[in-house]
Amino acid sequence: MAYNTTEHLLADMEALRAHLGIDRWLLYGGSWASTLILAYAQRHPDRVIGIILVGVTMTRRSEIEWLYHGLRRLLPIEWERFRAGVPAADRDGTLVEAYRRLMESPDLAIREQAAHEWCAWEDAVIAHEALGNPGQYSAKPDAAKLAFGRTCTHYFAHAAWLDDDQLLRDAHRLNGILGILIHGRLDLSARLLTAWELAQAWPDATLRIIEDSGHTGSPSMGAAIDDAIAAFQPH
């Protein structure tokens, strides 16, 4: 995992672009991928035609705090179960870091249980998304749950190796790049505030709020994504 960081992923993206012989490309992604896309575009703005982000995140500490601690206000029962999944000595600290340590345990049974609890919490956060895909995290095969939990805790415990507010502070580097931000009004995982703040700092971006969608989408969000992609197609 020492070689799995945001910096390594940015290098991978550039290597892939060069390998494929692409001069400039349209970047599209959702959830945490929006963090990676913003970091890439701010470093290589001359390589980017446009950007489509869905369920916008910037992996700021406030966003991580909201998802794994703040949502206790709305999901107290489910959050207490999530908290009970770490050793008692770690329950008053940062749960992401506590789960990261569990995911790195040499004991497979400990890693599997931690991944199970992590995915159960993620599913609790999207349980209300009837038009999307509730239950999608726990439905993963065991190996996929392990990989998902380990990767999430690894990146979130390190705040994606980004300075806090870095992507918002450096949004001016996106000037001249057209962006379409698509975000569900019902998204508890990624707060609408994040997408709105980015749109305020990036004049060339437009924010489209999907009223009936959460983090996992809806037919209306799907249509908005199709429209966004079409907007970048040559006529």
Side-chain angles (χ1 to χ4, degrees), residues 14-44:
E14 261 301 271
L16 179 62
R17 182 196 61 77
H19 174 71
L20 295 175
I22 297 171
D23 182 43
R24 299 171 69 231
W25 51 1
L26 171 66
L27 303 180
Y28 161 74
S31 194
W32 190 83
S34 57
T35 293
L36 182 62
I37 285 171
L38 290 169
Y40 175 89
Q42 290 179 7
R43 180 170 298 185
H44 303 288

Side-chain angles (χ1 to χ4, degrees), residues 19-227:
H19 174 71
L20 295 175
I22 297 171
D23 182 43
R24 299 171 69 231
W25 51 1
L26 171 66
L27 303 180
Y28 161 74
S31 194
W32 190 83
S34 57
T35 293
L36 182 62
I37 285 171
L38 290 169
Y40 175 89
Q42 290 179 7
R43 180 170 298 185
H44 303 288
D46 57 320
R47 300 297 186 189
V48 180
I49 295 172
I51 297 173
I52 301 171
L53 303 182
V54 184
V56 181
T57 72
M58 291 187 279
T59 316
R60 295 176 293 180
R61 288 173 176 80
S62 61
E63 296 171 46
I64 298 167
E65 167 70 19
W66 163 255
L67 180 53
Y68 299 107
H69 288 268
L71 275 171
R72 175 189 183 187
R73 298 174 179 87
L74 301 180
L75 302 166
I77 297 171
E78 296 85 348
W79 186 82
E80 284 296 341
R81 290 176 186 154
F82 178 56
R83 180 172 175 259
V86 305
D90 294 331
R91 290 174 189 168
D92 292 329
T94 303
L95 294 181
V96 171
E97 172 58 22
Y99 270 99
R100 186 197 67 79
R101 291 196 294 267
L102 292 174
M103 297 290 183
E104 295 298 327
S105 170
D107 188 329
L108 176 60
I110 291 176
R111 297 199 305 273
E112 288 180 334
Q113 183 61 31
H116 171 80
E117 298 297 341
W118 184 268
C119 289
W121 169 250
E122 296 281 5
D123 277 338
V125 176
I126 62 169
H128 65 290
E129 299 186 12
L131 297 180
N133 191 15
Q136 66 175 16
Y137 299 106
S138 297
K140 296 175 182 289
D142 288 345
K145 283 193 282 190
L146 280 168
F148 174 75
R150 191 179 184 201
T151 305
C152 283
T153 56
H154 177 64
Y155 273 81
F156 292 159
H158 294 94
W161 295 271
L162 299 169
D163 292 339
D164 212 26
D165 278 332
Q166 174 181 331
L167 299 181
L168 192 62
R169 181 192 68 224
D170 293 343
H172 63 90
R173 297 182 180 178
L174 305 176
N175 289 348
I177 299 175
L178 296 180
I180 300 176
L181 314 179
I182 303 171
H183 207 99
R185 175 82 70 184
L186 307 179
D187 192 338
L188 294 182
S189 301
R191 300 174 300 180
L192 177 57
L193 175 65
T194 297
W196 181 82
E197 288 176 327
L198 179 61
Q200 297 304 300
W202 180 9
D204 294 300
T206 58
L207 172 59
R208 182 167 180 184
I209 300 171
I210 310 302
E211 297 294 338
D212 66 0
S213 179
H215 198 65
T216 65
S218 70
S220 298
M221 178 171 278
I225 293 170
D226 289 343
D227 290 345

